[in-house]
Amino acid sequence: MHDIKEVAVIGAGAMGSQIAMVCALHGYSVILNDISEDSLAKAKESLQGHMNRRIQKGKLTDQQVEEAFGRLTFEVNLASVKDVDLVIEAVVEKLDIKRELFSTLDDITSDHTILATNSSTIVSSKIADATTKPDKVCNVHFFNPPLVMELVEVVQGPHTSEETAQTAYAFVEQIGKVPVLLKKEISGFIANRILGKLMDEAVFLLENGYATHEEIDTVCTKALNHPIGPFALMDLTGIDVNYFVRMQRYQESGDEADQPAKLIQEKVEKGELGRKTGKGFYQYS
């Protein structure tokens, strides 16, 4: 297996920035890339806040954080990732954007570079043929928030080589996460297929007036012992993410039942996307 020494994460949102920091904390040289200087600045500020809280709680030392930031580079120029061994894409959940990015990465990076997508829904076989090395393409799906969540789903598509899958699996272990390797790809993988059914039922109960979103979240946390309710979780991950995932599924299936719920569409149209906009199902200061 090719040894991974340098990593690039494309997309400086909440997911991408935290994935980059996880890698940096575990000794990897990391480039966090985004098309927006403003997004990179916000990512750096956010990560500094997360790290300061860990220092205050005694989970990390000042030196560990300083060294991690020393290994982390913030870059707006995509060409900066040309020499890395692993790229993890964490951009918006839109297939055309991902395909265009992977095609560009294919031109820039070395033959040995693994090109992984963090997508929770789009299987890598829909992206791999945009490159000349489909055997190096796979899903490496982190959960939100990556600094906290332990599990990572590594998905081996029919085009993905055994070496790529095993290298990605070993890398996930090296950054202190728990990998699960799916040898057969399916949209949504394991966790989100199960979670999706819960989300659908929660939205159905709310839309039809059986309970409020607060009551449904309370039932899930207090009766089912979930750490967070489905509506609070949508606010955390972004209601637009739920919308894009459902739209992608609808475009694939053509089944009207796969379209985003009316309630979700209305939230997206209003710009009420959850924590990142200050309002979703809940209000945030």
Side-chain angles (χ1 to χ4, degrees):
M1 293 190 296
H2 192 88
D3 191 24
I4 292 173
K5 295 185 177 70
E6 294 188 78
V7 180
V9 181
I10 314 297
M15 288 298 291
S17 61
Q18 290 195 28
I19 292 169
M21 181 53 79
V22 168
C23 299
L25 283 167
H26 285 82
Y28 287 92
S29 176
V30 188
I31 296 168
L32 179 60
N33 173 270
D34 198 283
I35 57 173
S36 166
E37 291 275 14
D38 186 49
S39 294
L40 288 170
K42 287 178 180 177
K44 189 172 186 178
E45 183 182 0
S46 175
L47 289 174
Q48 285 170 333
H50 284 297
M51 294 302 99
N52 287 341
R53 285 190 287 277
R54 279 163 172 72
I55 290 169
Q56 289 165 7
K57 292 177 180 178
K59 293 180 179 180
L60 292 170
T61 65
D62 289 285
Q63 184 178 348
Q64 286 174 313
V65 170
E66 185 179 340
E67 289 175 354
F69 271 111
R71 290 187 286 266
L72 182 55
T73 307
F74 297 82
E75 282 282 354
V76 76
N77 183 5
L78 189 60
S80 64
V81 312
K82 65 184 179 68
D83 295 323
V84 304
D85 306 300
L86 169 66
V87 177
I88 302 171
E89 167 271 311
V91 303
V92 67
E93 282 288 87
K94 291 185 177 179
L95 180 58
D96 57 337
I97 292 174
K98 291 182 189 292
R99 284 181 60 84
E100 184 180 350
L101 174 59
F102 270 69
S103 178
T104 304
L105 289 169
D106 184 52
D107 292 335
I108 293 171
T109 56
S110 304
D111 290 341
H112 76 267
T113 305
I114 292 175
L115 303 178
T117 173
N118 180 57
S119 176
S120 59
T121 308
I122 300 171
V123 291
S124 66
S125 60
K126 293 187 176 295
I127 302 170
D129 66 337
T131 76
T132 59
K133 50 181 182 184
D135 60 306
K136 296 293 184 185
V137 179
C138 65
N139 287 84
V140 177
H141 174 229
F142 291 76
F143 290 84
N144 193 16
L147 281 166
V148 176
M149 300 295 282
E150 291 184 87
L151 190 79
V152 176
E153 293 172 317
V154 177
V155 188
Q156 183 175 3
H159 53 280
T160 310
S161 72
E162 184 68 21
E163 180 187 6
T164 295
Q166 292 300 329
T167 302
Y169 186 95
F171 170 76
V172 170
E173 290 184 313
Q174 288 295 314
I175 59 171
K177 299 299 183 183
V178 179
V180 170
L181 177 60
L182 279 71
K183 291 278 191 175
K184 186 177 179 182
E185 67 175 19
I186 183 171
S187 176
F189 318 137
I190 298 172
N192 281 338
R193 289 186 71 84
I194 295 170
L195 180 63
K197 297 297 183 185
L198 175 72
M199 292 284 194
D200 289 349
E201 189 60 29
V203 171
F204 170 82
L205 292 169
L206 177 60
E207 281 191 324
N208 289 277
Y210 291 104
T212 65
H213 66 272
E214 295 98 337
E215 289 168 337
I216 295 166
D217 277 0
T218 299
V219 169
C220 289
T221 56
K222 300 302 182 184
L224 304 182
N225 208 27
H226 293 185
I228 188 172
F231 295 102
L233 180 58
M234 276 190 273
D235 275 5
L236 176 64
T237 58
I239 294 170
D240 54 331
V241 173
N242 180 285
Y243 174 83
F244 288 137
V245 165
R246 294 306 296 261
M247 282 302 294
Q248 178 65 34
R249 192 180 304 168
Y250 171 60
Q251 287 162 9
E252 289 176 12
S253 70
D255 185 348
E256 294 293 327
D258 284 336
Q259 285 209 63
K262 186 180 178 184
L263 180 65
I264 300 298
Q265 292 185 49
E266 289 172 353
K267 287 284 185 188
V268 171
E269 287 166 6
K270 291 177 183 176
E272 296 175 359
L273 308 181
R275 288 179 182 244
K276 60 187 172 185
T277 60
K279 185 179 181 183
F281 291 101
Y282 296 90
Q283 189 85 38
Y284 302 91
S285 58

